[in-house]
Amino acid sequence: MEMDILKEMESLRRGIDGAFKEFGVGSFLEPSFLPGVGLQRFPQVNLAQDKDNVYVEALVPGVDAKDLDLTVMRGVLTLTGERKEETDSQRTWHRRERGHDKFMRTIDLPNEVDVDGVIAKFSNGVLLVTLPIQEQAKPKKISVKTH
Amino acid sequence: MGQKDMSVRSGNEIEGREQTHDLFIRPAVDIFETDEGITLLADLPGVTKEDLNVDIEQGLLTVQAKGKSYLKAEPIQREFLPGNFYRQFQLADIFDAEKISAKINNGVLTLRVPKSEAAKPRHIEITAT
């Protein structure tokens, strides 16, 4: 019964700390990416920023680049796509944790970006979007003069 | 926390025991069986052929991979932590470990393990005398 107690504790913790769900300590009980429709956000996204760009990294294993669509509008990046499953002959399932379906995520960007300069790169199931920050949105240093 | 033994589906001849190491990311998998063998699909985003290790020893299948992040700056909002992947499965001896095949495409590992000849279903012709 020890496992049951551990699982319950785990789900409580995840309720509070949603941003780290499925990873780190305790991830061993739950599948990682798509455990069914509506249960978890897919794809998982990390957002980063330096002085010139906003970066969005999304985990989209098993999705073809042609099935991915990106739009940027008014400071919101929308990522839509579909993870397809090849279906053939009859199968007996032993594990089914990955899931497959259409998905959509909207990501609020922390800064005004230059929509014409957006670069999206896809490799090995990871999408990296680089969005350049607009000049007027960058912090401007003002020098203080003394009399 | 160290290694954990989890008994999964006791009485199942395909996988009696599964082991995971909780310092690693446990990849989500699909496993299905056909008459020919089993196929395992595992989500390993960011993993290339060079960073992937698949071992089988006495029926214990180990999938291990080095994850990586392409982000150049420190995340300000995080939903996942980059880390290494690790998951183990115990296979029943009806499988032919010699003929296992593995490929990785778009961050998904596909492993095919055929059943040994003796374990495949066979149709028996009935002859009238």
Side-chain angles (χ1 to χ4, degrees), chain B:
Chain B
M1 287 193 267
Q3 284 210 326
K4 268 207 172 65
D5 279 331
M6 295 201 288
S7 54
V8 181
R9 292 165 190 258
S10 52
N12 185 334
E13 60 158 5
I14 303 297
E15 322 117 53
R17 199 165 61 95
E18 184 183 326
Q19 222 175 44
T20 52
H21 202 295
D22 55 21
L23 298 171
F24 294 85
I25 298 163
R26 176 173 174 261
V29 297
D30 280 354
I31 302 174
F32 59 86
E33 182 185 354
T34 61
D35 288 348
E36 297 302 309
I38 57 163
T39 302
L40 180 148
L41 303 170
D43 279 344
L44 302 168
V47 173
T48 55
K49 208 176 101 194
E50 292 71 36
D51 296 328
L52 176 66
N53 225 321
V54 180
D55 283 315
I56 188 155
E57 201 189 332
Q58 295 183 359
L60 185 66
L61 174 73
T62 307
V63 176
Q64 213 169 346
K66 218 166 87 202
K68 58 169 164 269
S69 178
Y70 297 93
L71 278 185
K72 294 176 203 104
E74 192 57 32
I76 51 173
Q77 198 177 306
R78 216 202 270 272
E79 291 175 4
F80 62 90
L81 288 166
N84 296 328
F85 298 95
Y86 186 92
R87 200 161 172 184
Q88 281 188 324
F89 299 92
Q90 182 72 51
L91 297 175
D93 52 13
I94 61 163
F95 295 104
D96 193 344
E98 299 284 309
K99 290 186 188 140
I100 190 165
S101 72
K103 62 171 180 158
I104 187 154
N105 186 30
N106 278 350
V108 178
L109 167 71
T110 307
L111 264 181
R112 287 184 211 279
V113 194
K115 284 180 186 168
S116 59
E117 284 305 318
K120 281 182 187 168
R122 203 164 309 191
H123 183 71
I124 294 143
E125 289 293 329
I126 297 159
T127 49
T129 47

Side-chain angles (χ1 to χ4, degrees), chain A residues 25-84:
Chain A
V25 180
S27 63
F28 56 91
L29 283 169
E30 303 294 332
S32 295
F33 297 107
L34 264 180
V37 182
L39 283 175
Q40 206 201 338
R41 285 185 285 183
F42 181 91
Q44 288 176 318
V45 170
N46 274 358
L47 191 66
Q49 181 177 233
D50 60 20
K51 64 177 174 33
D52 296 315
N53 298 296
V54 174
Y55 304 97
V56 176
E57 186 182 37
L59 301 182
V60 281
V63 180
D64 275 337
K66 66 172 167 55
D67 293 326
L68 275 174
D69 266 315
L70 276 171
T71 54
V72 187
M73 206 178 88
R74 288 192 205 109
V76 177
L77 174 74
T78 307
L79 173 64
T80 50
E82 184 176 5
R83 176 145 97 164
K84 289 173 182 160

Side-chain angles (χ1 to χ4, degrees), chain A residues 2 5-6 12 17 46 75 98 115 135 137:
Chain A
E2 202 190 319
I5 293 162
L6 210 61
L12 266 173
D17 185 18
N46 274 358
R98 296 174 58 244
V115 287
E135 278 306 317

